[in-house]
Amino acid sequence: MKRLFWASAIIMGLAVVGCGPAKAPETANQVDRTDQTDRTDQAAAPQKAQGLRIAVVPKGFVHEFWLTVKAGAEAAAQEHGASILWNGPNAETDVAEQISIIEDMLNQKVDALVMAACNEVALVDVVAKAHAAGIPVVTIDSGVKSDLPISYVATDNVAGARKAAEVLAKLVGEAGPVGLIPFVQGAATSEMREQGFKDGLSAYPNVQLVATLYSQSDVAKGMAAAEDMMTAHPDLKGIFAANESGAMGAVQAIEAAGKAGQIKVVAFDSADREVEALQSGSIDALIVQNPFQMGFQGVKAAIDSIQGKPVEKRIDTGVTVVTRENMNEPEIQKLLHPLKK
């Protein structure tokens, strides 16, 4: 009987001890909830890309446009904890140099490649090399004739140039001869703007496109193109210049001929000197892109792809028509001066 009594006492004692830390399950639950909160917070925060190296290869360094692209790329990299390797050819026509630069980037085993192709055909092979090496490619501004890039981040250049045709047609009274200055044959952006402008003019049968001359992204050659147009067509009423160098070449030729304000000029881009020419009356309207967003969204798309997030195949960064009438509006000023602090 005594043994039974003591056995019962021991069992009861153990039961009391076992029930003592009654709050232990609650504590465990609190830890689980804390872990869950941490995981939720981490999921809500942007994923970091520490250590990722993103190669960003523009078509050139000369134009303010590319400096703005670089600023956007750097902003995206900083936001995600990545870094960019920035390099490009000295001239937008130097396809061989751009290919060499990209191949060097691939040899450095960068994590992704963001590029603006100098030529939509010639850069296809190097894009294929990147793809074969498992390096995702994003094209910005100017694409390639390939489905391998995971995304194309750019202006809708055809639509933008159609808008330029509409604006120029209105400026010349929907009648008379006009000229077109694209930049480089074979560059996708130039080809699309040429196509869009010609398509847009088809809605204005009394406006005749009498000359198409290329600037080769060189101000002096853009100036020569505009001079040739004015010489061959003394009654020329307007010019559409498809980029900054063509625009400034046309402005210099028109001003030298004493025809500023008489020959209407519509141009792509928004370099400081283009904005100054708009203010002075030598340019009548600018088709303004968003190069900062091209750089930013291009790098972001590359990082998203590496992290397994969905990436849109086509990202349109938009255009805005800027005139003397709206150029001082706050939102337009931000677009015209994206690098201003």
Side-chain angles (χ1 to χ4, degrees):
M1 288 293 292
K2 288 182 179 179
R3 281 196 299 267
L4 286 171
F5 172 80
W6 287 112
S8 298
I10 290 167
I11 291 169
M12 288 178 66
L14 288 171
V16 170
V17 172
C19 293
K23 292 185 179 180
E26 183 180 344
T27 305
N29 286 341
Q30 286 174 344
V31 172
D32 288 345
R33 284 196 296 271
T34 302
D35 288 348
Q36 186 176 10
T37 301
D38 289 344
R39 286 194 293 270
T40 303
D41 290 344
Q42 288 167 5
Q47 279 187 269
K48 291 299 180 181
Q50 298 290 346
L52 289 182
R53 298 179 307 141
I54 314 298
V56 184
V57 181
K59 291 197 292 186
F61 291 118
V62 176
H63 300 132
E64 198 171 311
F65 180 93
W66 298 116
L67 297 179
T68 310
V69 168
K70 182 184 181 187
E74 289 174 336
Q78 183 176 10
E79 182 175 304
H80 290 81
S83 61
I84 69 166
L85 283 67
W86 172 267
N87 197 8
N90 290 316
E92 293 187 17
T93 53
D94 198 337
V95 177
E97 185 184 5
Q98 187 180 46
I99 291 171
S100 177
I101 288 168
I102 293 173
E103 288 180 336
D104 180 61
M105 295 288 192
L106 300 184
N107 289 335
Q108 293 184 52
K109 301 188 186 306
V110 293
D111 296 291
L113 170 64
V114 177
M115 55 171 282
C118 287
N119 185 286
E120 62 184 347
V121 176
L123 273 293
V124 169
D125 286 347
V126 79
V127 168
K129 285 182 183 179
H131 180 76
I135 297 172
V137 178
V138 175
T139 52
I140 60 173
D141 182 61
S142 293
V144 293
K145 286 189 177 296
S146 168
D147 290 328
L148 293 178
I150 59 172
S151 186
Y152 173 45
V153 183
T155 303
D156 184 335
N157 288 288
V158 174
R162 280 199 202 104
K163 176 58 71 174
E166 177 188 331
V167 171
L168 186 59
K170 299 292 185 185
L171 285 168
V172 301
E174 298 188 19
V178 298
L180 166 62
I181 306 179
F183 37 108
V184 179
Q185 282 184 297
T189 306
S190 184
E191 299 276 349
M192 287 186 282
R193 291 179 194 172
E194 182 176 343
Q195 175 196 334
F197 184 73
K198 291 175 178 176
D199 289 350
L201 280 190
S202 65
Y204 302 93
N206 294 321
V207 179
Q208 302 89 37
L209 179 60
V210 295
T212 300
L213 300 174
Y214 294 84
S215 70
Q216 303 301 325
S217 286
D218 181 273
V219 173
K221 291 176 181 175
M223 183 176 181
E227 288 171 342
D228 290 346
M229 288 180 186
M230 290 187 292
T231 300
H233 306 279
D235 57 344
L236 191 72
K237 297 185 70 174
I239 291 175
F240 168 52
N243 75 347
E244 175 190 341
S245 51
M248 296 318 300
V251 164
Q252 290 179 21
I254 290 168
E255 287 179 345
K259 293 187 176 182
Q262 296 176 39
I263 296 178
K264 304 300 181 182
V265 177
V266 175
F268 248 86
D269 297 330
S270 57
D272 286 347
R273 52 187 181 172
E274 287 181 286
V275 175
E276 291 168 5
L278 177 65
Q279 182 75 61
S280 70
S282 295
I283 288 178
D284 297 276
L286 293 173
I287 308 300
V288 178
Q289 305 181 84
N290 198 328
F292 184 93
Q293 281 301 315
M294 286 184 203
F296 187 95
Q297 296 297 336
V299 169
K300 181 179 182 299
I303 292 172
D304 284 349
S305 174
I306 292 168
Q307 294 179 337
K309 298 178 184 177
V311 176
E312 293 181 23
K313 190 71 173 176
R314 177 70 171 92
I315 300 173
D316 182 3
T317 50
V319 295
T320 302
V321 178
V322 178
T323 64
R324 278 184 291 282
E325 288 67 36
N326 70 1
M327 67 183 297
N328 291 316
E329 294 176 7
E331 289 305 310
I332 299 295
Q333 281 293 303
K334 288 179 186 176
L335 196 59
L336 294 178
H337 305 290
L339 302 183
K340 184 179 280 188
K341 302 295 183 184

